[in-house]
Amino acid sequence: MNYDCLVIGGGLAGLTTGIRCAEAGLNVAVISSGESALTFSSGEIDVLGTDLSGRAVQNPFTALESLVQHQPDHPYAHVGTGNVAKSLDWFQREIAEAGLPMVTSGGLWDNHWRLTAAGALRPSWLSQQSAGALPWGLENIQRVVFVSFTGFLDFMPELAAAGLKTHPVFQQAEVQSLNIELPLEHGRGATADTMRAPQLARAIGESDVELICTRLLEQVNDADLVALPACLSAGRKNWLTVLRRRTGLRLVEVATMPPSVPGIRMLSALKRRLTAVGGFMIPAMPVITGDVSYGHVASVQTPDDELHAKQYVLASGSFFSKGLKSHAAGEISEPVFGLDIDVPETLSGQSFLVPEGHGFNRAGVRVNVQLQPSLNGTVIENLHVAGSVLAGYDPVIEGSGGGVAISTGWMAANEVIKKVALP
Amino acid sequence: MRRMEADVVVIGGGATGASVFRDCSLRGMQAILVERGDIASGTTGRNHGLLHSGARYAVTDSHSARECISENKILKQIAGHCVEATDGLFISLPEDGLDFQQQFMQGCADAGIHAQELSPKQALQLEPAVNPALIGAVRIPDGTIDPFRLTSATILDAREHGGALLNYNRAEGLLIEQGRVQGVRCRDLRNGEQFEIRCQAVVNASGAWCHEIMEYADLSVDMYHSRGALLIMGHRMNGMVINRCRKPGDADILVPGDTVSVIGTTSTHVGRDELETLEVTADEVKTLLQEGSKLAPSMLDARILRAYCGVRPLVAESSSGGDRSISRGLVAIDHGEQDGLPGLVTITGGKLMTCRLMAEVATDKVARLLNISVPCETASRPLPGAHLPEPIGRKMRQGQSRYRLPDSSLPNSIAGSAVYRHGDRARSFMQEDDHHNNAVVCECEVVTRGEILYAIETLNARSMSDLRRRTRVGMGPCQGEMCACRVAGLLASQQENGDEVLGSLQDFVNERWKGIRPVLWGDALRESEFSYWVQESLLGLSSLQPEGKAEDNRDLYHEL
């Protein structure tokens, strides 16, 4: 099999590239070694959450301009701010086509708040409808109730309530917690104690929803916001919609501890979309090495096979996904091709929870403005790089992980499409 | 100012202070233990967890060797659930030769330590992890001991005999009146409140910090603070303790413990001003791996979980001579006899192995002061949880464990872990058919909801790190990345003060990090990146700003 394009990595960046290439009529395959990091993500897309001084930003696209001026090696600088917006606009349409409409808050280009299971607020740009984007101004929310189901360990309403209380805006607000004991109609006798979120989602049935509805109306019917673990909108039916309609309350789902229902849902939607537009998925297959000579990738090897393509895109993720490898002597490498990489001087900070983040998040593959990497200084013409394997940005501290994955994946695809179209 | 009364105040909640607290309580004294942090949070929680047979000292220090083997036998009897009688090997490598082995066998015989010479083949059969290049081996009755569990059970016994534990309370001064020590001035570190405890005797059992308490009475001691660094491997590599058969040196003991193995130690002097800010250096990590892999070569391919170091409270030779010392290790000072200040006893030096003996010596001195003639019972009376049906010794090879909950249908993976940590007291929180409390909160160490709640209610755990020391929650391969928030949620459901819980969650995460940072490569970095995504990106922990965060009275350095 000789593909037009082989994408290494089946996460957000790799799937984005795959979908874009397939739509352009290319013969594209996405090869993936295991579950993507999306399965424990919030299932939201952030573009830029904080500015250079660490403050939360309301309009990420404006803040981008200043970011790329100060950090010319940032992946967003390579993509260009105009293209970042274009790629995200494209992504929003694609994911809707896949049956998972995602929304921004009131203003199309504005960030909103995502509520976390620890009661923190993180800036985000695109939300699944179940998460119910919280608008930038929060002052009208005076009574918040975190609700969970007795025994469920991956969303603790007491902790979330304590967390939200520390937020300046909510210090005067009433923030409470409530546990509802559910019979779990489809739980086959198991209780929520031993369930992770996806199992709980499947175990909830009509009678559970009745009970939740009654308890909400009895106990929290004057709440401005009710936050529940994200396991209601993904079951046999979208129970969240049912509950919203019946209670009239503002109900939002919060991503639980992993595995996360909204993260898995986004991953499934993207895989569905890839297949629908003619792309091909090669699951559970690691790429071990690549054969590069004279600035050209000739083939890549899996444990079983040698794969050939005209163009390759490396979207293999960061350390966790084994797109990057670190060694005892302190050096860091890209294990498939041995590409040239950038590593910050200091890999880690004294404390884990620090506003400036850690150097290891910024380590990665060095690329040129076309997102092409180099090997011992020689640019590789038919290889492009996307997503968190890239150097020069901190997805967590910047709140840019989703936007960088999508925009670099989209741009890598565009580069590939241009080249394949050439005679 | 609030005032309390007691017969004895013990300062320091390590293994030694806890043992004094227990001994005093068993002899009928009304005792209060004052500890500025949590129990076992100093040197006690930062060692190998080796249940010495004494063989290590057989050649160089026969007195310590005899003390060790005697206490070894006692601890197996009284603290069965804190101990694994794994036995140990002293291996000789080609570079060591076999000369030392002959002296070693003689030393063990002199000290009364049962030592059995093995062929290399026999040693490899017993312990497949051992370096196959070995040229000789001796089997001795080493084992492992969990210092947190030992301290916690000891304190529980004291409290069940009328003692009171004041953790997170600092002794800030001694009340000296009419030429004798009559009490302690304290501060509750959670609310800042000052109070006094009036008593007839004070025992200074603050270990590496004992000079600070002595300074309250203008006394001094010539401490020699010796720091030791250790590495925790990500899985249990060895069933038996593995030692080098040579004079004690760096990284020559590999101790299995629970689900991990620990290699150590190094030994370097530190100044007293450095006690609060110890960090394991890259050179120490290198030495530990280089030397340690000679004991068990598979160490080079294993994941390293974390690095930590502790400080041995040694007393310099010059000030430990004469009748103050009954051994080169243990130093007990009656300041009435030595300095003309009755009412104060200092117990320091020594080692985890001899904590019970140290307590006996110190409590004898206190009993004399108080005219109490009740004899010491600590050598024969089992600790809470140690009433186990079968003789000790984890039967690793046979694939069966003695850690079972009698008459229980619960899976042994869950019940066995609870019994392993709490002995027969596991019944206090583990009931049949209680799905809610038997739910597993920490998968790596199999800690249940019931165990967490038991530690909060019965074992004085107030913070996330306290819970880690009581239950091993967050000590396994994931270092708390999945369970930290679950545990914090349970803590939040039991405590009024949400800010305190959040503060302790942040402290817990930062404290785990300190131990990971010196070994941040390979899988440790992968796991850290995942933790970072979960805790910072998914949960946003650093953006939470709890008020009135518990006072950081010291920068807690690396911990087990």
Side-chain angles (χ1 to χ4, degrees):
Chain A
M1 190 74 184
N2 195 347
Y3 301 103
D4 291 329
C5 180
L6 180 69
V7 183
I8 303 165
L12 184 54
L15 288 167
T16 297
T17 307
I19 294 168
R20 178 102 181 129
C21 286
E23 270 186 340
L26 268 54
N27 175 14
V28 61
V30 175
I31 183 165
S32 162
S33 65
E35 278 303 316
S36 150
L38 277 177
T39 56
F40 54 81
S41 74
S42 64
E44 301 220 353
I45 300 297
D46 49 6
V47 176
L48 191 64
T50 51
D51 63 17
L52 291 164
S53 63
R55 271 193 305 268
V57 295
Q58 182 169 4
N59 187 316
F61 297 93
T62 314
L64 265 182
E65 300 288 349
S66 149
L67 176 76
V68 301
Q69 265 171 27
H70 285 89
Q71 298 183 10
D73 292 327
H74 196 287
Y76 277 148
H78 301 326
V79 176
T81 54
N83 279 336
V84 172
K86 262 192 216 168
S87 70
L88 287 160
D89 189 44
W90 170 86
F91 179 85
Q92 203 175 351
R93 274 182 277 124
E94 291 298 319
I95 195 111
E97 286 292 329
L100 183 65
M102 292 183 74
V103 294
T104 58
S105 68
L108 184 56
W109 303 109
D110 280 351
N111 275 333
H112 58 261
W113 295 109
R114 167 173 72 83
L115 199 51
T116 81
L121 292 166
R122 298 264 301 164
S124 176
W125 184 67
L126 209 54
S127 266
Q128 297 185 23
Q129 284 176 334
S130 55
L134 296 184
W136 206 248
L138 294 160
E139 287 77 12
N140 293 331
I141 303 174
Q142 282 308 307
R143 184 170 181 219
V144 183
V145 185
F146 288 91
V147 178
S148 190
F149 309 119
T150 305
F152 184 53
L153 286 164
D154 288 345
F155 180 77
M156 296 294 221
E158 298 86 357
L159 179 71
L164 190 63
K165 271 297 244 189
T166 70
H167 194 282
V169 173
F170 290 96
Q171 263 154 22
Q172 302 308 316
E174 202 181 332
V175 184
Q176 291 169 320
S177 61
L178 172 70
N179 282 288
I180 301 176
E181 188 155 0
L182 295 181
L184 294 178
E185 190 175 324
H186 304 290
R188 296 162 189 265
T191 62
D193 294 292
T194 53
M195 292 182 183
R196 306 276 81 89
Q199 293 156 291
L200 186 56
R202 283 192 294 273
I204 289 172
E206 184 80 48
S207 57
D208 299 299
V209 175
E210 286 292 335
L211 188 66
I212 299 169
C213 187
T214 311
R215 295 291 304 277
L216 292 182
L217 288 173
E218 277 171 9
Q219 286 179 271
V220 303
N221 73 6
D222 58 340
D224 300 318
L225 180 69
V226 177
L228 299 136
C231 60
L232 289 161
S233 59
R236 288 147 199 272
K237 208 170 152 179
N238 189 338
W239 301 120
L240 186 71
T241 322
V242 174
L243 281 169
R244 278 177 178 164
R245 199 174 56 233
R246 287 206 212 157
T247 62
L249 285 164
R250 178 174 199 164
L251 302 180
V252 298
E253 277 195 346
V254 176
T256 63
M257 293 297 289
S260 130
V261 165
I264 294 170
R265 182 162 47 203
M266 182 187 280
L267 180 63
S268 316
L270 291 170
K271 284 183 184 168
R272 256 194 330 266
R273 185 65 186 154
L274 175 71
T275 320
V277 293
F280 186 57
M281 191 92 203
I282 309 172
M285 187 61 71
V287 170
I288 307 295
T289 59
D291 181 8
V292 182
S293 52
Y294 304 106
H296 187 88
V297 180
S299 66
V300 296
Q301 282 78 43
T302 70
D304 305 343
D305 214 352
E306 187 170 271
L307 300 174
H308 299 267
K310 291 179 189 140
Q311 296 287 325
Y312 297 83
V313 173
L314 184 72
S316 49
S318 186
F319 298 98
F320 177 73
S321 307
K322 300 188 184 172
L324 296 172
K325 207 171 167 186
S326 77
H327 310 269
E331 80 256 26
I332 287 174
S333 66
E334 183 286 303
V336 176
F337 300 101
L339 301 173
D340 297 341
I341 57 157
D342 278 335
V343 182
E345 253 174 56
T346 317
L347 267 193
S348 64
Q350 289 269 344
S351 278
F352 198 54
L353 305 172
V354 281
E356 64 274 18
H358 298 287
F360 65 77
N361 276 316
R362 294 186 167 270
V365 173
R366 181 191 311 153
V367 289
N368 63 18
V369 289
Q370 277 93 41
L371 300 180
Q372 288 167 313
S374 58
L375 181 61
N376 302 323
T378 307
V379 172
I380 305 181
E381 291 299 330
N382 65 339
L383 180 61
H384 294 81
V385 183
S388 59
V389 68
L390 285 168
Y393 78 111
D394 185 326
V396 178
I397 290 299
E398 292 170 4
S400 61
V404 168
I406 291 167
S407 62
T408 56
W410 177 87
M411 175 168 165
N414 286 356
E415 295 292 317
V416 165
I417 294 163
K418 263 191 280 181
K419 289 187 174 163
V420 171
L422 287 173
Chain B
M1 191 187 299
R2 188 157 62 94
R3 259 190 204 185
M4 299 169 78
E5 299 226 345
D7 294 329
V8 188
V9 172
V10 182
I11 302 171
T16 308
S19 300
V20 175
F21 183 42
R22 175 184 188 230
D23 204 337
C24 288
S25 300
L26 288 181
R27 295 196 211 186
M29 298 175 226
Q30 172 67 48
I32 295 179
L33 176 67
V34 179
E35 160 60 48
R36 65 177 173 170
D38 185 33
I39 65 168
S41 59
T43 304
T44 298
R46 303 161 204 269
N47 59 64
H48 245 128
L50 171 60
L51 184 79
H52 276 283
S53 60
R56 183 171 172 81
Y57 308 108
V59 174
T60 54
D61 180 354
S62 63
H63 187 100
S64 288
R66 271 190 287 271
E67 267 179 14
C68 281
I69 189 62
S70 159
E71 291 299 309
N72 174 300
K73 289 172 183 165
I74 291 170
L75 285 169
K76 283 174 181 169
Q77 292 311 313
I78 67 162
H81 67 306
C82 308
V83 161
E84 271 188 56
T86 58
D87 281 358
L89 295 176
F90 272 76
I91 62 164
S92 304
L93 295 177
E95 63 191 89
D96 304 328
L98 282 170
D99 290 349
F100 191 81
Q101 200 192 64
Q102 292 319 306
Q103 294 177 55
F104 178 80
M105 291 294 291
Q106 188 57 50
C108 285
D110 293 346
I113 301 162
H114 179 70
Q116 177 196 3
E117 205 174 316
L118 303 175
S119 70
K121 196 176 159 195
Q122 286 171 319
L124 271 161
Q125 258 169 0
L126 273 173
E127 178 49 73
V130 82
N131 188 343
L134 83 171
I135 55 170
V138 181
R139 179 180 185 163
I140 38 77
D142 276 355
T144 78
I145 182 156
D146 186 299
F148 300 109
R149 216 166 286 165
L150 178 71
T151 308
S152 178
T154 303
I155 283 177
L156 183 59
D157 201 29
R159 290 175 53 231
E160 290 180 351
H161 287 87
L165 168 67
L166 301 180
N167 51 349
Y168 298 103
N169 283 267
R170 184 165 56 201
E172 292 195 324
L174 296 170
L175 304 173
I176 301 172
E177 288 161 20
Q178 285 133 21
R180 58 178 296 140
V181 174
Q182 312 227 10
V184 183
R185 201 170 63 247
C186 304
R187 186 187 296 275
D188 185 329
L189 295 177
R190 279 158 303 140
N191 57 21
E193 188 203 355
Q194 272 193 312
F195 61 99
E196 283 181 3
I197 311 173
R198 293 264 156 189
C199 61
Q200 300 180 58
V202 172
V203 180
N204 171 19
S206 51
W209 291 267
C210 76
H211 54 281
E212 293 181 9
I213 304 298
M214 288 168 71
E215 281 162 10
Y216 294 155
D218 294 323
L219 302 172
S220 69
V221 61
D222 194 4
M223 296 294 290
Y224 181 89
H225 291 115
S226 160
R227 137 213 173 100
L230 305 98
L231 300 178
I232 307 182
M233 312 311 289
H235 67 280
R236 185 169 172 141
M237 301 166 54
N238 47 328
M240 301 170 82
V241 177
I242 307 176
N243 303 267
R244 271 295 269 288
C245 196
R246 63 174 192 195
K247 279 193 180 152
D250 279 352
D252 56 0
I253 317 178
L254 180 65
V255 182
D258 287 320
T259 52
V260 298
S261 290
V262 178
I263 180 71
T265 68
T266 58
S267 183
T268 42
H269 179 250
V270 283
R272 55 180 288 181
D273 51 331
E274 297 169 84
L275 291 181
E276 319 295 334
T277 54
L278 296 175
E279 294 217 355
V280 178
T281 65
D283 281 346
E284 285 173 323
V285 172
K286 207 170 146 188
T287 303
L288 288 166
L289 281 178
Q290 215 164 43
E291 289 300 308
S293 60
K294 293 178 186 167
L295 297 173
S298 62
M299 188 179 294
L300 291 178
D301 303 317
R303 171 177 165 196
I304 308 168
L305 211 50
R306 52 193 288 113
Y308 64 103
C309 57
V311 183
R312 303 175 187 93
L314 304 181
V315 178
E317 286 290 329
S318 59
S319 67
S320 67
D323 61 358
R324 290 191 303 252
S325 159
I326 68 154
S327 90
R328 265 175 269 178
L330 178 168
V331 177
I333 308 169
D334 180 335
H335 293 282
E337 289 170 13
Q338 184 185 296
D339 308 299
L341 183 66
L344 179 65
V345 171
T346 291
I347 178 80
T348 188
K351 46 176 93 53
L352 177 66
M353 271 310 286
T354 53
C355 64
R356 190 214 60 82
L357 176 65
M358 292 167 76
E360 182 176 341
V361 173
T363 310
D364 284 347
K365 289 186 187 294
V366 172
R368 268 203 297 282
L369 284 173
L370 271 66
N371 274 322
I372 287 173
S373 56
V374 182
C376 176
E377 281 191 355
T378 55
S380 56
R381 193 181 178 114
L383 290 169
H387 296 273
L388 292 164
E390 293 161 52
I392 57 164
R394 195 185 200 191
K395 299 186 179 72
M396 296 288 291
R397 297 255 140 44
Q398 289 85 347
Q400 48 174 239
S401 156
R402 76 191 173 93
Y403 299 101
R404 282 182 288 105
L405 202 56
D407 309 316
S408 168
S409 59
L410 290 166
N412 206 44
S413 57
I414 293 174
S417 295
V419 175
Y420 186 50
R421 287 191 284 270
H422 302 278
D424 59 285
R425 293 292 173 102
R427 266 293 177 217
S428 313
F429 55 85
M430 189 154 277
Q431 308 299 325
E432 305 299 301
D433 304 324
D434 185 352
H435 298 301
H436 189 57
N437 282 315
N438 294 342
V440 175
V441 174
C442 163
E443 285 96 345
C444 299
E445 299 293 332
V446 201
V447 182
T448 61
R449 182 199 307 266
E451 186 174 342
I452 296 287
L453 297 178
Y454 169 75
I456 295 171
E457 284 159 18
T458 311
L459 303 180
N460 292 72
R462 296 174 186 281
S463 73
M464 297 280 300
S465 295
D466 295 0
L467 284 166
R468 169 172 57 75
R469 286 181 283 261
R470 305 294 188 286
T471 69
R472 289 190 66 79
V473 73
M475 279 183 165
C478 94
Q479 292 284 292
E481 95 205 335
M482 301 300 269
C483 61
C485 276
R486 295 179 189 152
V487 176
L490 291 177
L491 204 52
S493 69
Q494 302 296 306
Q495 279 189 16
E496 288 285 306
N497 189 341
D499 282 341
E500 196 178 314
V501 175
L502 293 169
S504 97
L505 173 59
Q506 290 173 332
D507 288 346
F508 175 89
V509 170
N510 284 328
E511 189 280 327
R512 293 286 83 187
W513 175 243
K514 282 186 187 172
I516 298 168
R517 230 183 135 220
V519 294
L520 192 66
W521 67 79
D523 284 337
L525 178 51
R526 284 189 67 210
E527 200 79 50
S528 295
E529 189 186 51
F530 181 41
S531 286
Y532 197 64
W533 285 342
V534 169
Q535 290 168 346
E536 199 59 330
S537 182
L538 184 64
L539 298 170
L541 289 191
S542 76
S543 69
L544 304 174
Q545 290 159 9
E547 270 182 39
K549 214 172 129 173
E551 187 191 343
D552 275 339
N553 60 327
R554 58 181 155 156
D555 184 13
L556 284 175
Y557 48 96
H558 310 277
E559 250 185 81
L560 206 65

